[in-house]
Amino acid sequence: MFERIREDIATVRERDPAARSSVEVLLCYPGIHALAMHRVSNRLWRAGLTTPARFLSHLSRFLTGIEIHPGATIGRRVFVDHGMGVVIGETAEVGDDCTIYQGVTLGGTSLTRGAKRHPTLEAGVVIGAGAKVLGGFTVGAGARVGSNSVVVKTVPPGATAVGSPARILGNEVDARREAQAAKMGFSAYAITQGADDPLSVALHQLIDHVAEQDRRIDQLVQALCRSGVPVPEGCTEPASLDTERLNKLVD
């Protein structure tokens, strides 16, 4: 037990620049307290003492603002930062070295008793503040879920999911994210510069494509007019697509 607490303290000091000492982390970080109480409640749960386990879980929720069902499986070096409003369901599995920020829900979408209803986070996953991961699927190792995203399907290892419903960023954007995260040392809140919503990226590309098509059509019309080829009335007017305004609406 004490070894795990020391490991938890070292994890916080590694990932949170606001942590100034081990004593401060031990006394002032609710994630440390919630994880320690969960280990006790989880042992009670596995021993068949479900009511005492639930009561200890309820007490932990009252004291820390973090609700972890005693049946949930939590790995080593998990960091619950700030923690207020975090909810982790009964069949959830959180792998080693995961980071979970405030307001996160690892929830279930099935009412079937005994079924796998909650998500599995593999090693090194980061779940940004306010994100909801709902269902009995897997978020692959090293994946990132952006703040306030709503994830309802599997996230591949190393990918980034953003938006509501969450969409998976493309490989090019993933590469930029990884490069930026490497510079920063850690991808706080699972968000780095350049991590645009893929829907927004697609809309920008479509707007640019339409603008380029209009430009080429205008050039063709001008060439036809210079050659003396009859052009239907109205076709000589230049295109009036306001790409700047459309791009601002998409942002």
Side-chain angles (χ1 to χ4, degrees):
M1 173 67 76
F2 293 108
E3 179 185 353
R4 293 291 293 274
I5 292 176
R6 284 196 296 269
E7 190 175 61
D8 290 340
I9 292 173
T11 297
V12 173
R13 297 200 66 184
E14 176 186 350
R15 300 185 201 172
D16 186 1
R20 291 174 173 78
S21 70
S22 297
V23 173
E24 177 185 316
V25 171
L26 180 62
L27 295 179
C28 303
Y29 277 68
I32 296 287
H33 310 149
L35 291 173
M37 286 188 277
H38 170 72
R39 293 184 189 116
V40 177
S41 66
N42 183 253
R43 289 181 182 178
L44 294 173
W45 182 267
R46 295 181 184 276
L49 302 173
T50 56
T51 300
R54 289 300 301 271
F55 178 75
L56 180 57
S57 173
H58 180 69
L59 180 63
S60 173
R61 175 178 178 268
F62 175 77
L63 294 174
T64 67
I66 301 168
E67 181 175 341
I68 307 176
H69 192 284
T73 301
I74 309 293
R76 302 176 74 98
R77 299 176 300 279
V78 172
F79 179 26
V80 182
D81 196 8
H82 303 292
M84 181 62 69
V86 167
V87 177
I88 300 177
E90 177 185 1
T91 62
E93 299 175 46
V94 180
D96 297 342
D97 302 302
C98 288
T99 302
I100 298 173
Y101 286 91
Q102 67 272 17
V104 166
T105 298
L106 304 183
T109 56
S110 170
L111 298 179
T112 305
R113 189 182 299 274
K116 170 67 172 166
R117 308 188 309 277
H118 302 84
T120 294
L121 310 185
E122 293 185 343
V125 170
V126 179
I127 309 293
K132 316 301 177 189
V133 186
L134 309 175
F137 53 84
T138 298
V139 179
R144 304 288 188 268
V145 176
S147 296
N148 294 317
S149 298
V150 179
V151 183
V152 293
K153 61 182 179 181
T154 298
V155 179
T160 298
V162 296
S164 177
R167 297 174 178 83
I168 307 302
L169 296 183
N171 293 334
E172 181 181 347
V173 178
D174 272 346
R176 293 203 306 269
R177 175 186 58 78
E178 292 296 340
Q180 182 67 19
K183 292 179 183 178
M184 297 169 62
F186 179 69
S187 180
Y189 292 96
I191 291 296
T192 56
Q193 293 179 1
D196 295 320
D197 186 336
L199 179 60
S200 175
V201 171
L203 289 173
H204 282 302
Q205 290 175 343
L206 286 172
I207 292 169
D208 292 341
H209 181 69
V210 170
E212 178 62 18
Q213 280 188 325
D214 284 346
R215 186 184 67 81
R216 293 188 178 186
I217 290 172
D218 289 340
Q219 289 177 340
L220 288 172
V221 170
Q222 291 172 12
L224 290 173
C225 290
R226 287 195 299 269
S227 301
V229 177
V231 177
E233 185 178 354
C235 291
T236 56
E237 297 295 327
S240 59
L241 181 68
D242 189 347
T243 55
E244 183 177 352
R245 184 180 67 85
L246 289 175
N247 281 314
K248 287 182 178 179
L249 289 174
V250 172
D251 286 334

